[in-house]
Amino acid sequence: MDTEVVGFTGPPSRPRALAVRLPDGRTALSQRLGAPLAAQAAVYLTGAPKGGRAGPTAGDAYVAVELGLTVKVLAATTRHAVVTVTRLR
């Protein structure tokens, strides 16, 4: 499924995870990004205007951004959303 990136954890030059808005309106942090995806995301995050710290319903805080960036994810439905980013759109 496609989701909108609304934030990230770690430094913008090497993000650890992305915060994404799920179709049901919830925000979830992705699983840790692999090196290739982190490098691709860094291109968009490095120059992006940053918002304040935010937090999903459950999980760690992240730096909010408004990029208009869409990513393709695999999401499992458990008690907490498990989201794995597979590629940037």
Side-chain angles (χ1 to χ4, degrees), residues 9-37:
T9 64
S13 60
R14 180 78 164 104
R16 285 190 291 275
L18 297 177
V20 296
R21 187 166 332 277
L22 300 174
D24 65 5
R26 291 182 301 151
T27 300
L29 287 178
S30 71
Q31 300 286 79
R32 188 174 190 94
L33 298 175
L37 281 172

Side-chain angles (χ1 to χ4, degrees), residues 3-9 15-22 26-31 33 45 54-56 60-65 67 69 71 73 83 85:
T3 60
E4 177 188 5
V5 174
V6 296
F8 64 94
T9 64
R16 285 190 291 275
L18 297 177
V20 296
R21 187 166 332 277
L22 300 174
R26 291 182 301 151
T27 300
L29 287 178
S30 71
Q31 300 286 79
L33 298 175
L45 298 174
D60 298 326
Y62 60 87
V63 177
V65 293
L67 298 172
L69 177 62
V71 293
V73 300
V83 177
V85 175

Side-chain angles (χ1 to χ4, degrees), residues 44-86:
Y44 296 94
L45 298 174
T46 302
K50 312 302 183 283
R53 302 281 298 167
T57 309
D60 298 326
Y62 60 87
V63 177
V65 293
E66 289 188 33
L67 298 172
L69 177 62
T70 302
V71 293
K72 183 129 185 125
V73 300
L74 297 173
T77 53
T78 61
R79 182 173 176 206
H80 301 289
V82 178
V83 177
T84 303
V85 175
T86 59

